[in-house]
Amino acid sequence: MANQEMTGAEIVIQALVDQGVEVIFGYPGGAVLPLYDALFKQNSIRHILVRQEGGAVHAAEGYARSTGKPGVVLVTSGPGATNAVTGLADALLDSIPIICLTGQVATHLIGNDAFQEADTVGITRPVTKHNYLVKSAKDMARTVHEAFHVATSGRPGPVVIDLPKDTQFEEAEYLPPALVQHKSYKPQVKGDLKAIKEAVSLIANAKKPIFYTGGGVINSGPKASDLLTKFVRMTGYPITNTLMGLGSYPASDRQFLGMLGMHGTYEANHAMHDCDVMICIGARFDDRITGRLDAFSPNSKKIHVDIDPSSINKNVPVDIPIVGDVAHILEDMIKVWKTDVCRPDAAALEEWWQQIEGWRSRDCLKFTQSGPIIKPQYALSRLNELTKGKNRYFTTEVGQHQMWAAQYLQFEEPNRWMTSGGLGTMGYGLPSAMGVQVAHPDALVIDVSGEASAMMNIQELSTIMQYRLPVKVFLLNNEYMGMVRQWQELLHGSRYSESYMESLPDFVKLAEAFGGTGLRCTDPDKVDEAIIQMIETDGPVLLDMVVDKEENVFPMVPSGAAHNEMLLADNAEGEGPEVSREGMTLV
């Protein structure tokens, strides 16, 4: 379509079509009406009308995270763009590729405090990978094509394209993707072979090794997860995932130690602390993993593989940095391992596994379901068992239920787990599930929620009903902002300041009011029955699972503690930290 004259709005839509976009999540307004008119005139792209712009970005995140394709958002100027900011920040921290098209007032009105004007470029600069203000239709196609390249190359992230209304009417020639060259942004993909060989040698000679893997493995694509699984099994070494990395390695495998970090397993955190070689792949040493930095895995040599050079040595100094794409580097590591005929130290490895099995024998996720009140751990364990073998995807909100879901749901493959990790955005799960369901219409998509988070974006039930999306909401209802209450109990003398959720709706009636199905379960003996009914009921279902109000998430690394100083449900029998009612005291 080169040399064809189009309006700026038509150019944007054609560029999206040429980039392979199938779905846009959006909400119209005055500054984007030309774009919506262009959408109306075509049949290649489906539009999902959300009920609030923040929901549009979260839906696009769910779509992107579950497919590996960039999610696309279209919102109007002013409040439309500002409502999208939280979602953009969420996508930036979790490395989710998003293209967000925002309307803007006409170019001659910019800076005049015009109706629904906001400095979108200025506001979104800190929460995007890159952003653009397009002042001429002739720059439209190039900008859109470049935005997709930026959003999906290197470390993925959100990109904003701000489109003044007059440029959407202006006519210009369309420029197809093949004619756009990306000269300035070319992230390093292949790792330095010398560093890779040095890393493999260190790995082969390790006595107490561990693989520490994160969301970067999943972002690299399914091949990366396959290669990671292959390499880990070749070595026989233990592996742990971050919250964002769950699914990059099969959870049922014996070498998998579970999630690590603030609410990670006893064995994963202790193995990280005591290891002599740490192989960090696609993770960034964030504070929820490291705990107190001066006590983080003090005696280990650290290898760090990451496509983002700014993540290397940012939080934790490493011994062998390797910049590049995870899949490429794992492929090279496997080749070097085979070529050099590497063999792990069998005796040392056996001793290391014996030590790990000792930690594992603590059974840190063990719980007892007794009495008339449903334990949230039990509800999620049954949800996991009853959905095994199904084509299932899980999203979560943020809080206690999120951590329990990470602990008790098992993921055997990537792209099945969508959660807000870096920003911790309450209200993420429901619209994210909506985006996942749009991408996978025949799959079982379940949003694990809490009653507080559910209220953040409950309006998206209307969108779910409009498009007949059979999303299931598994709501763990303890009538509290659960994680806030837990910290108030452990660190603030049980002073529950503004964490009790009063005046909650009847969630069964609420679901029915939107046109869906509402269910409630209060009896532990009926949990299985309720879950099966939720799964087998056609259309959207909200299951209000009433659970123990006082249950806490354990293990837990308290704020300010080292990553191996953990509170367990049995208070670790004197091991690690204890917490006084007046604040944390390590003993």
Side-chain angles (χ1 to χ4, degrees):
M1 292 191 177
N3 302 319
Q4 182 177 343
E5 288 277 330
M6 299 180 178
T7 66
E10 291 169 339
I11 287 172
V12 170
I13 300 304
Q14 185 59 52
L16 296 178
V17 170
D18 286 350
Q19 288 292 338
V21 174
E22 298 173 341
V23 181
I24 291 176
F25 302 91
Y27 201 97
V32 287
L33 288 183
L35 282 163
Y36 273 89
D37 193 49
L39 267 176
F40 185 83
K41 296 174 183 176
Q42 57 82 51
N43 294 308
S44 299
I45 299 176
R46 182 186 184 192
H47 182 275
I48 302 296
L49 177 64
V50 300
R51 297 307 185 258
Q52 203 259 14
E53 292 87 355
V57 186
H58 293 323
E61 286 185 277
Y63 178 92
R65 188 75 176 172
S66 67
T67 63
K69 303 174 184 177
V72 180
V73 177
L74 174 57
V75 299
T76 195
S77 63
T82 57
N83 279 346
V85 168
T86 297
L88 293 171
D90 190 274
L92 182 68
L93 282 174
D94 285 347
S95 305
I96 310 298
I98 299 292
I99 303 294
C100 183
L101 307 168
T102 60
Q104 185 53 274
V105 299
T107 50
H108 68 280
L109 292 175
I110 293 175
N112 288 340
D113 295 333
F115 177 67
Q116 289 194 332
E117 181 190 0
D119 179 9
T120 300
V121 168
I123 291 168
T124 63
R125 185 172 288 121
V127 296
T128 54
K129 187 175 179 182
H130 195 57
N131 60 18
Y132 302 86
L133 173 61
V134 186
K135 294 185 177 181
S136 173
K138 72 179 188 307
D139 297 324
M140 290 276 196
R142 180 182 299 277
T143 301
V144 173
H145 298 320
E146 185 176 297
F148 273 84
H149 174 71
V150 171
T152 58
S153 301
R155 180 180 177 181
V159 176
V160 162
I161 307 174
D162 202 29
L163 301 166
K165 189 170 184 178
D166 56 325
T167 65
Q168 298 173 44
F169 287 112
E170 183 186 337
E171 292 193 348
E173 290 184 2
Y174 177 70
L175 193 66
L179 299 181
V180 177
Q181 300 297 317
H182 307 288
K183 297 178 181 179
S184 58
Y185 183 59
K186 294 183 178 180
Q188 183 176 334
V189 174
K190 294 287 288 182
D192 179 70
L193 190 56
K194 182 180 177 182
I196 289 172
K197 288 181 176 179
E198 186 181 353
V200 170
S201 176
L202 186 62
I203 293 168
N205 289 290
K207 308 299 181 186
K208 295 182 174 183
I210 189 168
F211 284 89
Y212 152 43
T213 56
V217 179
I218 293 172
N219 287 340
S220 183
K223 182 181 177 182
S225 293
D226 292 341
L227 290 167
L228 174 67
T229 302
K230 181 179 180 180
F231 191 37
V232 171
R233 286 175 176 167
M234 286 170 64
T235 63
Y237 295 169
I239 178 172
T240 180
N241 288 157
T242 65
L243 178 70
M244 298 302 294
L246 293 174
S248 62
Y249 189 86
S252 61
D253 193 271
R254 187 190 76 86
Q255 291 172 239
F256 184 59
L257 305 187
M259 183 179 71
L260 81 161
M262 180 173 282
H263 295 291
T265 66
Y266 190 74
E267 54 268 30
N269 282 346
H270 276 278
M272 282 281 283
H273 183 271
D274 285 12
C275 72
D276 68 339
V277 174
M278 181 188 298
I279 309 112
C280 175
I281 302 177
R284 55 189 177 87
F285 294 98
D286 72 278
D287 60 291
R288 291 290 172 115
I289 298 299
T290 63
R292 203 175 71 243
L293 280 172
D294 64 355
F296 176 69
S297 193
N299 300 314
S300 66
K301 295 285 186 181
K302 299 174 181 67
I303 300 163
H304 190 184
V305 176
D306 205 294
I307 200 163
D308 180 8
S310 71
S311 291
I312 305 282
N313 291 318
K314 181 168 71 174
N315 297 325
V316 172
V318 299
D319 300 278
I320 304 178
I322 306 174
V323 177
D325 178 70
V326 166
H328 283 88
I329 291 168
L330 281 169
E331 198 166 35
D332 287 341
M333 281 184 164
I334 291 170
K335 287 178 182 176
V336 172
W337 182 275
K338 288 180 176 179
T339 301
D340 293 352
V341 196
C342 293
R343 295 285 186 273
D345 184 329
L349 185 58
E350 182 180 358
E351 187 177 340
W352 179 226
W353 271 113
Q354 286 177 357
Q355 187 174 359
I356 290 171
E357 292 302 333
W359 292 320
R360 191 180 252 167
S361 68
R362 294 298 301 272
D363 199 4
C364 66
L365 299 182
K366 184 179 179 180
F367 64 90
T368 301
Q369 174 59 60
S370 61
I373 303 175
I374 300 168
K375 293 287 186 183
Q377 302 95 319
Y378 176 70
L380 282 163
S381 295
R382 298 312 302 155
L383 179 66
N384 182 63
E385 286 299 316
L386 293 169
T387 58
K388 270 185 180 177
K390 297 183 183 295
N391 181 21
R392 64 183 192 176
Y393 294 80
F394 287 99
T395 70
T396 78
E397 308 291 342
V398 169
Q400 284 182 316
H401 63 273
Q402 176 192 29
M403 294 298 104
W404 281 315
Q407 291 174 339
Y408 293 97
L409 299 177
Q410 291 187 309
F411 300 95
E412 302 299 311
E413 56 187 311
N415 304 107
R416 300 286 176 148
W417 164 251
M418 277 57 64
T419 194
S420 175
L423 196 64
T425 306
M426 293 174 71
Y428 167 91
L430 183 61
S432 177
M434 185 168 69
V436 176
Q437 193 77 78
V438 168
H440 309 277
D442 298 324
L444 174 62
V445 181
I446 301 174
D447 169 33
V448 177
S449 181
E451 80 293 328
S453 283
M455 297 299 291
M456 289 280 187
N457 272 318
I458 198 70
Q459 77 283 343
E460 297 307 332
L461 283 176
S462 177
T463 306
I464 286 168
M465 287 306 306
Q466 177 177 339
Y467 296 97
R468 297 175 176 84
L469 303 173
V471 170
K472 315 300 182 187
V473 180
F474 190 76
L475 193 152
L476 298 178
N477 186 350
N478 60 9
E479 298 183 3
Y480 274 98
M481 298 177 207
M483 194 60 83
V484 174
R485 186 206 57 77
Q486 176 168 335
W487 280 60
Q488 287 175 334
E489 176 188 333
L490 297 177
L491 303 176
H492 298 281
S494 297
R495 293 182 291 277
Y496 301 127
S497 176
E498 302 300 323
S499 55
Y500 177 61
M501 295 296 292
E502 295 189 60
S503 301
L504 285 169
D506 181 326
F507 284 105
V508 173
K509 290 181 179 177
L510 182 64
E512 292 171 348
F514 276 104
T517 300
L519 305 171
R520 178 177 291 113
C521 182
T522 60
D523 185 348
D525 293 333
K526 295 183 178 179
V527 167
D528 281 18
E529 178 185 332
I531 291 172
I532 291 169
Q533 187 178 357
M534 177 189 76
I535 294 168
E536 294 183 349
T537 299
D538 292 336
V541 179
L542 192 159
L543 172 53
D544 183 12
M545 186 70 65
V546 180
V547 299
D548 192 336
K549 295 179 174 58
E550 298 182 352
E551 194 69 15
N552 289 330
V553 181
F554 295 111
M556 175 184 174
V557 178
S559 179
H563 68 124
N564 66 326
E565 296 177 325
M566 308 175 69
L567 291 171
L568 302 186
D570 60 2
N571 206 32
E573 297 176 358
E575 294 186 23
E578 292 182 355
V579 180
S580 75
R581 292 294 181 184
E582 298 305 316
M584 190 187 72
T585 304
L586 299 182
V587 296

